[in-house]
């Protein structure tokens, strides 16, 4: 069966993705900052391997890559992310902004770099990163959340560049907006159920191929403006 690695899999969309993939018989490598507290992951049924990973810790990334040497990863799913707040103009904080950029923009590429051989060795050869419609400049008409918006826009550019570089190796890369989902990050007022979002993300990944690599998708499958 195919293998998927999901970061930030201990809650929200990541947990639901792990549940759905495992339920369909996939081998799931689920990462969490503290596996001891990942009760939701531990309760899932199926072929699930839980690994410790703080995505901003490059030593941990190296340890994980070494542990997975020889393991083919069909889908590398960069899901871990952070939202520190909806800071307005004049209220931005440099420290938290840099932390947001590290988690949301830099870490997904560093993990992809570390695991590229495992992805290349798989039949499917796919890398998907969870972005946000808030990172779209083409459809942006709102205010605030400077750190989060810019970090997701940066992630989009990072992964488009990676798509261009990895296409020759047969690796497909995409960024996918999960929509506004009822999670700890999205809040109780969000219109979209996590099951719906995760199912949509999976359908987008299923259809991903080298010919459409480097595309910004919505969970519904439509293409979003950069």
């Amino acid at each position: 069966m195919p293998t998927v690695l999901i970061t930030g899999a201990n809650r929200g969309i990541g947990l639901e993705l792990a549940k759905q993939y495992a339920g369909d018989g996939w081998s799931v490598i689920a990462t969490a900052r503290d596996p001891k507290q990942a009760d939701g992951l531990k309760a899932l049924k199926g072929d699930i391997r839980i690994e410790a990973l703080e995505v901003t810790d490059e030593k941990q990334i190296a340890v994980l890559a070494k542990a997975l040497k020889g393991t083919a990863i069909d889908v590398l799913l960069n899901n871990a992310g952070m939202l520190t707040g909806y800071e307005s103009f004049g209220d931005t904080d440099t420290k938290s902004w840099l932390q947001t950029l590290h988690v949301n923009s830099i870490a997904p590429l560093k993990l992809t770099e570390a695991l590229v051989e495992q992805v290349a060795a798989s039949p499917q050869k796919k890398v998907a990163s969870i972005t946000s419609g808030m990172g779209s400049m083409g459809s942006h008409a709102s205010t605030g959340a400077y750190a989060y918006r810019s970090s997701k826009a940066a992630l989009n550019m990072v992964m488009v560049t990676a798509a261009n570089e990895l296409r020759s190796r047969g690796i497909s890369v995409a960024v996918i907006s999960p929509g506004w989902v009822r999670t700890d990050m999205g809040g109780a007022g969000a219109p979209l159920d996590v099951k719906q979002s995760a199912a949509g993300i999976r359908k987008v990944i299923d259809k991903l191929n080298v010919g459409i690599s480097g595309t910004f998708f919505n969970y519904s499958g439509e293409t979003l403006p950069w």
Side-chain angles (χ1 to χ4, degrees):
M1 293 302 292
T3 297
V4 58
L5 187 148
I6 306 168
T7 64
N10 59 310
R11 63 179 182 173
I13 296 169
L15 179 59
E16 182 61 28
L17 284 164
K19 180 180 179 180
Q20 290 189 19
Y21 273 113
D24 280 350
W26 282 56
S27 176
V28 177
I29 302 168
T31 79
R33 282 181 294 177
D34 186 358
K36 293 180 181 179
Q37 296 184 14
D39 295 333
L41 277 175
K42 294 175 183 178
L44 296 182
K45 296 179 180 179
D47 182 8
I48 300 175
R49 171 177 174 179
I50 305 174
E51 295 284 352
L53 181 65
E54 164 53 64
V55 294
T56 61
D57 188 332
E58 293 185 21
K59 290 183 179 179
Q60 284 194 25
I61 289 176
V63 168
L64 179 63
K66 185 176 181 180
L68 296 176
K69 186 177 181 180
T71 300
I73 298 173
D74 292 273
V75 176
L76 171 56
L77 218 170
N78 291 302
N79 168 74
M82 70 177 294
L83 169 63
T84 55
Y86 293 86
E87 68 280 1
S88 58
F89 185 82
D91 193 36
T92 57
D93 178 76
T94 300
K95 185 177 180 180
S96 64
W97 195 336
L98 289 172
Q99 183 183 16
T100 302
L101 284 168
H102 198 170
V103 173
N104 293 352
S105 315
I106 300 170
L109 182 66
K110 299 309 294 183
L111 185 63
T112 302
E113 289 175 336
L115 297 176
V116 68
E117 296 304 327
Q118 287 88 334
V119 174
S122 74
Q124 295 195 29
K125 301 180 176 64
K126 298 177 181 181
V127 177
S129 298
I130 301 304
T131 184
S132 171
M134 291 174 69
S136 168
M137 288 178 277
S139 62
H140 178 47
S142 300
T143 60
Y146 284 85
Y148 186 74
R149 292 183 192 281
S150 62
S151 72
K152 290 301 187 178
L155 172 65
N156 293 349
M157 177 56 81
V158 164
M159 288 301 165
V160 168
T161 305
N164 293 337
E165 292 204 38
L166 297 175
R167 188 174 286 109
S168 63
R169 300 191 66 178
I171 297 175
S172 305
V173 181
V175 287
I176 307 170
S177 170
W180 186 12
V181 189
R182 288 191 298 276
T183 61
D184 290 344
M185 184 181 290
L192 193 60
D193 180 81
V194 68
K195 293 181 180 179
Q196 231 181 322
S197 175
I201 291 167
R202 291 185 60 209
K203 287 180 180 178
V204 172
I205 294 172
D206 286 345
K207 295 178 181 178
L208 181 60
N209 59 69
V210 173
I212 55 174
S213 185
T215 302
F216 182 5
F217 290 105
N218 195 24
Y219 77 96
S220 60
E222 65 182 313
T223 302
L224 295 176
W226 296 110

